[in-house]
Amino acid sequence: MAPMGIRLSPLGMAVFCLLGLGVLYHLYSGFLAGRFAFFMLSEPVAGGPEFPHGSAPAGSVDLRELLAVSVLAAVRGGQEVKRVREGNVLNAKAKGKTREGAEEQLTSGDLLSNRRMFYLLKGAFPAVQINSEERVDTADQETVSWDRTIPEDIKQKIQPKEVPAESVTVWIDPLDATQEYTEDLRQYVTTMVCVAVNGKPVIGVIHKPFSSYTAWAMVDGGSNVKARSSYNEKTPRIIVSRSHAGKVEQVARQTFGNKTVIIPAGGAGYKVLALLDVAEKNQEKADVYIHVTYIKKWDICAGNAVLRALGGHMTTLTGEEISYTGSDGNEGGLIASINMNHKALIEKLPDLEKTSHK
């Protein structure tokens, strides 16, 4: 008997082919349409390589955008800080003690500023890690939107720069100098945002809520603040924490001479601004900033970024660079300077490193 086979009619073959084409269309039409849309939206426009709708591709962030929203976050947080202080509704309470045994204060200004700053940044860049001094209570979650407007001064000075989102860590200090805030020493108070990429500080924003002054800078980008052009070597001015002035004064005078001026001040942000050319009547001027004890990274990251952008330095007392990943504390104290021989300064201060661990 001859073998039997299955023979499709021409109509059957046509139906089979149409079904196959339908399956292929279903699988690839969405992909092709998406690629076509991406191509059309990604066409460069005059003026630079802007991202579609002002956003970097998925999995990355544009540092210029992150700078813009960081400035806005510092200002918005500062508004809360100012409102609470002027309304005298601080509701201050102790939240613990420092390593030196001093009580740390927590106020409504800290909490409200933190909430506003955190959710503004998180809403704009949900994939970015954000570290803040104060705990974020999910029960108080709020939607704080950003319209992705970039201020003209940032547009003019900073070019878009895309980096992987996983390489970015944002450090928030919603109210620097809380102790001084409770004492109504308003000139020392700042709100700060820092952006670190792979542990290195690249964007710094320092905002003074009670004078509405904001300093910002981006490493290898630009800034709206300048370094001081000179300092007096014969009578150097060293700015230190109010609580640590006694620890530093004796060693500083032995190192720099009896004419050394010690400036006790509050707030790490204020102390960094003292090294810069800041047109503020309540802003003191200094040549070197020294801190001899443990300090949190959200206190110093923004100032570190600003100094780096302007050619200055902030290191531990032994000259090590401070990494803004991992733990939230810096164990080795710090020394900060600009337009000075930073290495020579470190070599002059061998005894302060020992003090930093006491």
Side-chain angles (χ1 to χ4, degrees):
M1 179 182 292
M4 297 181 62
I6 299 173
R7 181 180 298 174
L8 292 177
S9 68
L11 178 60
M13 288 290 291
V15 170
F16 181 81
C17 291
L18 287 173
L19 287 172
L21 288 172
V23 170
L24 290 173
Y25 177 81
H26 178 74
L27 289 174
Y28 289 103
S29 61
F31 171 79
L32 292 173
R35 296 305 297 169
F36 178 76
F38 178 80
F39 175 79
M40 294 299 291
L41 289 171
S42 299
E43 283 293 302
V45 297
E50 302 288 345
F51 300 115
H53 300 299
S55 300
S60 64
V61 296
D62 177 10
L63 290 180
R64 185 172 73 166
E65 287 189 342
L66 195 43
L67 169 60
V69 75
S70 295
V71 170
L72 182 60
V75 171
R76 293 274 183 88
Q79 291 169 350
E80 295 297 313
V81 167
K82 183 178 180 182
R83 181 177 62 81
V84 169
R85 178 68 265 184
E86 292 184 342
N88 199 28
V89 287
L90 273 65
N91 297 319
K93 60 182 180 181
K95 69 174 183 179
K97 291 189 176 183
T98 66
R99 290 189 178 185
E100 293 79 43
E103 278 196 349
E104 286 191 282
Q105 296 289 310
L106 179 67
T107 70
S108 296
D110 294 89
L111 296 174
L112 293 173
S113 174
N114 183 68
R115 186 172 70 182
R116 184 58 55 90
M117 293 172 72
F118 178 87
Y119 285 115
L120 176 57
L121 287 159
K122 199 64 178 176
F125 294 96
V128 167
Q129 178 181 336
I130 301 175
N131 296 337
S132 179
E133 179 173 9
E134 307 304 338
R135 186 174 63 88
V136 179
D137 192 343
T138 54
D140 293 330
Q141 184 173 349
E142 63 175 291
T143 301
V144 186
S145 60
W146 177 48
D147 62 5
R148 299 200 173 271
T149 298
I150 299 177
E152 284 302 317
D153 60 340
I154 293 178
K155 270 188 177 181
Q156 291 172 7
K157 296 180 179 181
I158 308 294
Q159 295 299 312
K161 184 176 181 180
E162 181 187 339
V163 297
E166 64 268 20
S167 69
V168 175
T169 305
V170 177
W171 295 84
I172 300 174
D173 194 340
L175 201 170
D176 189 40
T178 299
Q179 180 62 45
E180 287 74 19
Y181 182 66
T182 63
E183 298 172 17
D184 209 14
L185 299 173
R186 305 183 183 195
Q187 72 271 24
Y188 297 127
V189 176
T190 62
T191 57
M192 296 188 286
V193 180
C194 176
V195 176
V197 177
N198 295 320
K200 295 182 178 181
V202 298
I203 289 174
V205 180
I206 305 174
H207 175 68
K208 299 182 79 171
F210 297 102
S211 66
S212 299
Y213 174 81
T214 306
W216 59 260
M218 177 172 159
V219 175
D220 297 328
S223 69
N224 71 340
V225 64
K226 297 180 179 179
R228 290 177 59 202
S229 57
S230 63
Y231 63 96
N232 191 331
E233 292 186 23
K234 295 182 178 179
T235 57
R237 299 169 63 84
I238 299 179
I239 195 163
V240 300
S241 294
R242 295 166 69 208
S243 58
H244 303 155
K247 292 183 178 181
V248 178
E249 184 170 2
Q250 183 178 0
V251 175
R253 292 190 189 282
Q254 289 174 351
T255 302
F256 296 104
N258 290 329
K259 292 184 178 181
T260 301
V261 178
I262 304 298
I263 306 171
Y270 178 89
K271 297 184 190 81
V272 168
L273 290 178
L275 306 181
L276 307 178
D277 185 9
V278 175
E280 287 267 289
K281 65 178 182 179
N282 289 327
Q283 178 65 61
E284 294 168 283
K285 302 295 183 184
D287 304 306
V288 181
Y289 166 27
I290 295 175
H291 188 87
V292 296
T293 62
Y294 174 86
I295 191 167
K296 293 296 183 68
K297 291 179 182 177
W298 42 68
D299 290 316
I300 59 176
C301 187
N304 198 340
V306 172
L307 288 174
R308 285 187 71 224
L310 297 175
H313 301 275
M314 178 185 288
T315 65
T316 67
L317 294 171
T318 57
E320 296 176 4
E321 296 295 333
I322 302 168
S323 175
Y324 294 92
T325 57
S327 69
D328 60 14
N330 173 52
E331 296 280 356
L334 70 85
I335 179 168
S337 68
I338 193 164
N339 287 337
M340 298 181 73
N341 187 332
H342 193 77
K343 184 178 179 181
L345 286 175
I346 293 166
E347 291 172 351
K348 287 183 177 181
L349 299 170
D351 294 332
L352 286 180
E353 197 275 333
K354 296 176 183 176
T355 308
S356 71
H357 297 289
K358 293 182 179 180

